[in-house]
Amino acid sequence: MRLTGRRESSNVEDRRGLSGGAKAGLGGGLIAVIIGIVMSLFSGGGGGGIDLGQVIGALTQNGGGLGEILGQGTGTEAVDPASFSEEEQQLAVECKQILGSTEDVWTQVFRDNNLGQYTAPTLVLFTNSVQSACGNATASVGPFYCSGDQKLYIDLSFFTEMKRQLGVEGNTFAYAYVIAHEIGHHVEYLLGSLQRAHQDMNNARSNAQKNQISVRLELLADYYAGVWAHYEDAANHSLEYGDLEKGLELANAIGDDWLQRRAQGRTAPESFTHGTSEQRKRWLKRGFDTGNMSTTTFSITNYNDL
């Protein structure tokens, strides 16, 4: 994905100089955390409203129960900016450029579709742990969006782990997909679908029903990530050969079924909270192919048709 010369968003809080609590050890990388999350899902511990953090952790979007899931960090640890690698600094620039692109695209999409005014979220870069309106989170949760403060949070070490464990080295579009997915949750929030889904979760009769609603939210965020890529490429011709395929490859690697088979050798469909690999690829691709804002996962009445 070509980003050279693109503007960097100013809606950024760089908190990498300080972090609450000790450094979150990623020693086991994605595999260890995936196993932990899948174990909790199989034991019925997966709650509703879980964000992309299932890939590297778990996080409720509406703030409920976050402290129980993540634990609370204590203290303050100074981080020397000079310790940031050249790779991390470049990733920070790319994240700001991608955020700037989402601002431009979604502002125009909202205007063209009479959806009101697009209000851009803030990107918070942090190291080790961070305090959000949804609670205290460590780096192990991965990128997440908190509707409580309309901010998305990223510890850039996530991309290093993603690159190491999922084989997406050197592909900026795969990184952009991660950010665009979280922005997709912000779009859901602005359009009211996030709030309605959380209300439906609260009224659900079973965890399985809650999980199905969560899957719809996650697939819709994937779809919106594809919509962003559709208009970003149409305006700037920024996608290069193989970029979309790398994004789809990542979508495949973070499907519930793929993660559960990798960790447990079997799947428990009733515990899925993000969608299967096939679903995640399909909805990302559908958003990219159509750019159609009238399509939503919630307009499909039969869950099995997702």
Side-chain angles (χ1 to χ4, degrees):
M1 183 176 185
R2 291 183 291 267
L3 293 174
T4 303
R6 301 291 294 276
R7 77 172 182 88
E8 299 178 26
S9 172
S10 60
N11 292 313
V12 178
E13 295 179 16
D14 194 338
R15 302 186 194 173
R16 291 179 295 162
L18 294 174
S19 67
K23 181 172 179 62
L26 294 179
L30 284 170
I31 303 303
V33 183
I34 286 171
I35 291 174
I37 295 305
V38 172
M39 289 290 285
S40 70
L41 291 175
F42 275 114
S43 64
I50 298 176
D51 202 82
L52 185 62
Q54 179 174 351
V55 182
I56 299 188
L59 180 73
T60 54
Q61 289 188 2
N62 59 2
L66 182 61
E68 295 179 6
I69 295 174
L70 299 176
Q72 296 297 321
T74 58
T76 301
E77 176 189 2
V79 178
D80 182 4
S83 66
F84 300 148
S85 66
E86 182 178 347
E87 178 188 30
E88 178 170 336
Q89 294 294 62
Q90 180 59 35
L91 281 172
V93 169
E94 291 177 355
C95 285
K96 295 174 186 177
Q97 290 173 321
I98 293 165
L99 183 65
S101 168
T102 65
E103 293 166 353
D104 296 340
V105 166
W106 284 113
T107 296
Q108 189 64 46
V109 169
F110 268 54
R111 182 182 299 124
D112 291 346
N113 290 273
N114 298 315
L115 298 174
Q117 182 177 0
Y118 178 74
T119 305
T122 298
L123 169 65
V124 179
L125 300 177
F126 71 95
T127 304
N128 307 331
S129 65
V130 69
Q131 183 68 36
S132 76
C134 294
N136 185 276
T138 63
S140 60
V141 306
F144 66 93
Y145 171 74
C146 176
S147 60
D149 53 21
Q150 297 181 51
K151 296 179 180 180
L152 56 148
Y153 295 81
I154 297 177
D155 183 314
L156 294 175
S157 64
F158 171 87
F159 294 115
T160 303
E161 289 301 304
M162 186 179 79
K163 180 170 58 178
R164 181 180 298 119
Q165 299 290 348
L166 299 180
V168 291
E169 183 170 2
N171 189 275
T172 304
F173 181 72
Y175 306 153
Y177 162 47
V178 172
I179 296 172
H181 173 96
E182 303 306 332
I183 295 292
H185 287 306
H186 180 64
V187 172
E188 292 173 345
Y189 173 76
L190 293 178
L191 297 181
S193 54
L194 186 65
Q195 298 89 319
R196 290 191 297 272
H198 283 152
Q199 183 176 6
D200 289 344
M201 287 180 185
N202 291 333
N203 296 329
R205 297 179 179 178
S206 66
N207 283 334
Q209 286 183 340
K210 290 181 181 180
N211 291 341
Q212 289 185 1
I213 298 169
S214 176
V215 167
R216 289 179 184 272
L217 277 176
E218 297 302 329
L219 295 181
L220 184 57
D222 281 339
Y223 179 81
Y224 285 152
V227 170
W228 161 75
H230 172 95
Y231 291 107
E232 157 61 30
D233 190 51
N236 301 293
H237 305 289
S238 54
L239 267 64
E240 301 176 280
Y241 178 80
D243 277 349
L244 180 60
E245 288 70 21
K246 277 294 184 182
L248 294 172
E249 180 183 337
L250 176 57
N252 181 79
I254 56 180
D256 287 318
D257 54 340
W258 191 94
L259 293 175
Q260 289 187 358
R261 286 195 191 96
R262 185 170 183 176
Q264 291 284 91
R266 61 188 177 93
T267 64
E270 70 280 359
S271 71
F272 291 173
T273 58
H274 283 61
T276 66
S277 294
E278 191 279 330
Q279 287 174 323
R280 301 202 68 167
K281 290 190 298 181
R282 175 152 44 88
W283 282 93
L284 174 62
K285 182 69 160 49
R286 184 179 297 183
F288 179 80
D289 287 342
T290 68
N292 184 359
M293 286 300 291
S294 66
T295 299
T296 75
T297 58
F298 292 98
S299 65
I300 296 177
T301 57
N302 187 349
Y303 176 79
N304 292 325
D305 291 337
L306 287 174

